[in-house]
Amino acid sequence: MRRVIYLGGLVPPDASPSHHLASRLEVERILLESAPDSMAFRASIVIAAASRSFRFLVHLIERLPVLALPAWREHRTQPIDGRDVIEFLARAAGATEVAGRSLDIAGPDVVSYGEMIERIREAMVVGRPALRLRIEATPLASRIAATIAGEDHALIGPLMEGLSTDLLPRDDAAAELLGVRLHSFDAAVERALRDWEAAEPLAAR
């Protein structure tokens, strides 16, 4: 096998990455140095029924009567539809022009983390008042959120550390380069929820 395609995470352009994101950058660097024909993608939250980040958010919305949103709710990112991620991976496998490159992949919609949660809640058709906090309190908040969502804090803690700044793509060259037609954020959420319900009950719907 000549090409390995690595899927890492978007990194902040003007701030130091979290420990989790820095480790993914290091994996990317090692891969591209050791296997020149390989390439790397960097993505934000993947919206899909099997995405643990998406499932974490859905479980929080299901189980919290009030959505407590720390100060990181104002930071922005560009979630991507899981179908688009698969399309990028498939097309990159045989594209000679991406060899040795690192490309950011992202959906077309820029949303704050607070807006993202609100739009998922709307798609689930549930009422959840929001409590907007002035503090981030990430170490404590991540432990509480992981417990409520039934997730492993070893996963959720590092992910939430990365919410302290905007996580936006460096550019949008990947979609044009590989000819991928991107789905909107709302379309991604609706598809993910449908796929979820086709396999298991969604308690809040």
Side-chain angles (χ1 to χ4, degrees):
M1 181 180 294
R2 295 178 55 200
R3 171 166 297 172
V4 175
I5 303 173
Y6 174 67
L7 180 60
L10 294 181
V11 297
D14 302 317
S16 298
S18 67
H19 178 74
H20 170 67
L21 292 175
S23 70
R24 296 175 80 171
L25 277 178
E26 182 65 7
V27 172
E28 175 187 302
R29 183 190 65 79
I30 293 171
L31 172 66
L32 296 182
E33 287 181 358
S34 59
D37 193 50
S38 296
M39 65 88 53
F41 286 125
R42 299 178 188 176
S44 179
I45 295 173
V46 177
I47 305 298
S51 165
R52 288 183 71 179
S53 297
F54 178 71
R55 295 178 70 85
F56 167 67
L57 293 176
V58 170
H59 283 316
L60 284 182
I61 294 168
E62 282 185 314
R63 299 170 185 179
L64 282 173
V66 176
L67 297 175
L69 301 176
W72 49 250
R73 68 183 178 275
E74 301 294 340
H75 297 137
R76 302 168 300 152
T77 192
Q78 284 181 238
I80 184 168
D81 192 313
R83 293 170 291 180
D84 298 339
V85 174
I86 293 172
E87 188 70 18
F88 274 116
L89 294 172
R91 295 193 179 211
T96 58
E97 62 269 31
V98 301
R101 297 185 62 176
S102 169
L103 296 170
D104 290 357
I105 56 175
D109 301 311
V110 179
V111 294
S112 69
Y113 293 109
E115 181 184 359
M116 178 171 58
I117 293 170
E118 177 65 15
R119 285 164 70 171
I120 294 173
R121 182 201 63 76
E122 289 177 353
M124 293 170 66
V125 197
V126 295
R128 296 288 187 273
L131 177 62
R132 293 170 174 81
L133 306 176
R134 295 183 179 181
I135 59 173
E136 292 199 358
T138 298
L140 176 61
S142 64
R143 289 191 176 278
I144 294 172
T147 299
I148 292 171
E151 268 289 2
D152 187 350
H153 181 259
L155 170 73
I156 300 305
L159 289 178
M160 289 185 65
E161 285 177 10
L163 305 183
S164 60
T165 185
D166 288 348
L167 290 178
L168 299 171
R170 292 165 288 181
D171 54 49
D172 57 0
E176 182 176 353
L177 180 65
L178 293 171
V180 176
R181 184 167 177 254
L182 299 169
H183 293 84
S184 71
F185 174 74
D186 291 329
V189 171
E190 284 294 344
R191 174 58 182 265
L193 292 175
R194 285 201 306 272
D195 289 348
W196 186 320
E197 289 183 298
E200 61 183 285
L202 189 61
R205 297 252 270 189

